[in-house]
Amino acid sequence: MNELDSVFDDQLPPDHQSGVVAVVGRPNVGKSTLINRLIGQKIAIVSPKPQTTRRQQLGIYTDDKTQILFIDTPGLHAPQHKLGEYMVKAAETAFRDADVILLLMDLSETPDDGDRYLAETVQRLRGATPVVLAVNKGDIALNEAVKRARVEEYAALLPHERLLLISAQNGDNVDVLLDDLKSKMPMGPRYYPADQVSEVNMRFIAAEVVREKVMISTEDEIPYAVAVEIDSFRERSENLTYISAVIYVERDSQKGIVIGKNGEKIKQIGSLARAELSNILGTSVYLELNVKVAKNWRSDEDLMRRLGYRLKDDRS
């Protein structure tokens, strides 16, 4: 047995199942929240702002008999710039390798043209891939008759294998959803070690944590014009990690908002990010943040590639 075999050979049962679930939905429907709950820990940033997820992120669920690779896709929407085009292409690309498409809809909203566009896109790209329709936010305070009517409206948007009303926030019916997804996985090996929950490295995670804290701390003042690049990530000792990050915005006025009066906002962002990163890394964290203006970076393909927004089939 070679070294690679020893990593993955955990005496798996002969009927072991594994596969890919593409989690698809409109911006801010709760995809990242759901994947974090399914995995059992945070691997994707969560914000009240739509279009928080910009790249495909892999969440890995493993038990004794099953391994599911959840692809958290950027929300499908009509793109307004190069970053938007990237996000939509990334979401559509996820369909190619999926064994199941998990389509997430929002019970708090009545189905509209955006939902119909999403359903039509899924139907056009799905091929023979089964679709599980999960209507999220089932815990909201709505009359039961209204809830039922909305679920029926969503159910009518496209053919599906299973329909569930769930709450990613408090966990209602998430176990039922997980069991259903397990049952749909084909026979296959374990692709990742049992204790691995994501394929992203710590530099990526650090950048996403900082970006999340910027979005939360600036509320509606900085919508989606923020990107984060990790300049340096070094373990200075067993108990201290040094991280230097650059926060990019598109305008000078946005730079002022991120920094805040007397630097108070950037201190708040740093404090929140430092606390979460320290918890993730298990060490103290020295976090250095700088804010730079990169005008119209969301339409600059070269800068987007440098910041990591690059599809696997992008060879340029």
Side-chain angles (χ1 to χ4, degrees):
M1 179 182 293
N2 62 35
E3 183 178 15
L4 184 61
D5 289 335
S6 68
V7 171
F8 293 99
D9 183 9
D10 289 326
Q11 297 182 332
L12 299 181
D15 57 348
H16 186 271
Q17 296 171 274
S18 60
V20 175
V21 174
V23 186
V24 186
R26 293 182 68 184
N28 211 32
V29 74
K31 298 184 301 298
S32 297
T33 301
L34 177 59
I35 289 182
N36 289 343
R37 182 171 287 278
L38 287 165
I39 300 303
Q41 69 182 76
K42 183 174 181 177
I43 60 113
I45 74 169
V46 177
S47 162
K49 300 174 185 295
Q51 298 177 35
T52 297
T53 301
R54 291 176 176 170
R55 308 167 182 162
Q56 289 182 9
Q57 298 181 41
L58 184 66
I60 305 165
Y61 169 87
T62 304
D63 64 19
D64 290 341
K65 295 183 178 181
T66 315
Q67 186 168 84
I68 303 178
L69 312 183
F70 289 98
I71 300 178
D72 181 10
T73 64
L76 280 171
H77 61 285
Q80 304 295 320
H81 39 63
K82 289 292 183 183
L83 177 61
E85 292 175 9
Y86 166 89
M87 291 165 65
V88 170
K89 188 176 181 182
E92 293 181 350
T93 300
F95 291 1
R96 297 175 189 169
D97 300 322
D99 296 290
V100 175
I101 297 170
L102 174 56
L103 177 57
L104 206 59
M105 295 293 194
D106 186 348
L107 186 68
S108 69
E109 304 286 343
T110 301
D112 60 14
D113 288 343
D115 296 300
R116 284 183 278 277
Y117 166 82
L118 172 59
E120 289 167 2
T121 301
V122 171
Q123 183 63 15
R124 173 171 55 86
L125 297 173
R126 65 184 290 186
T129 306
V131 172
V132 173
L133 178 59
V135 182
N136 192 27
K137 306 182 184 178
D139 56 324
I140 61 171
L142 276 179
N143 178 279
E144 289 301 316
V146 174
K147 285 187 178 183
R148 179 178 290 274
R150 285 190 186 174
V151 170
E152 289 176 353
E153 289 182 75
Y154 281 120
L157 291 178
L158 83 167
H160 50 273
E161 299 278 325
R162 182 76 187 270
L163 170 65
L164 287 167
L165 181 62
I166 70 167
S167 170
Q169 188 66 43
N170 67 21
D172 291 348
N173 259 353
V174 172
D175 287 345
V176 177
L177 172 62
L178 180 58
D179 286 343
D180 185 69
L181 295 173
K182 288 180 186 180
S183 72
K184 291 179 169 58
M185 293 297 101
M187 299 297 176
R190 183 175 289 172
Y191 296 101
Y192 291 88
D195 59 351
Q196 186 170 342
V197 296
S198 178
E199 98 291 15
V200 297
N201 60 36
M202 282 309 307
R203 292 177 73 99
F204 175 87
I205 292 172
E208 289 291 270
V209 167
V210 172
R211 185 166 69 91
E212 177 187 59
K213 303 316 177 190
V214 173
M215 296 180 75
I216 290 173
S217 298
T218 57
E219 298 179 349
D220 295 326
E221 297 172 292
I222 305 290
Y224 318 109
V226 175
V228 177
E229 182 179 29
I230 301 299
D231 270 348
S232 180
F233 189 108
R234 297 198 301 272
E235 296 179 1
R236 288 190 166 171
S237 71
E238 290 184 1
N239 301 313
L240 178 64
T241 304
Y242 170 81
I243 302 172
S244 173
V246 178
I247 300 169
Y248 288 101
V249 293
E250 290 188 316
R251 299 193 298 273
D252 290 325
S253 60
Q254 295 168 343
K255 179 177 179 179
I257 291 170
V258 173
I259 294 173
K261 186 177 181 180
N262 299 321
E264 290 302 315
K265 187 65 69 176
I266 195 69
K267 290 178 183 175
Q268 177 189 4
I269 292 166
S271 178
L272 292 172
R274 190 180 304 110
E276 181 159 336
L277 288 169
S278 179
N279 184 57
I280 292 171
L281 294 167
T283 71
S284 297
V285 171
Y286 183 93
L287 178 62
E288 182 177 345
L289 298 178
N290 295 289
V291 186
K292 294 183 180 180
V293 176
K295 295 186 182 299
N296 300 317
W297 71 264
R298 288 179 293 172
S299 296
D300 185 333
E301 292 185 358
D302 290 336
L303 182 54
M304 282 176 56
R305 288 192 186 97
R306 198 180 103 200
L307 293 171
Y309 300 114
R310 180 173 181 170
L311 292 171
K312 291 179 180 179
D313 59 356
D314 180 2
R315 299 287 188 254
S316 59

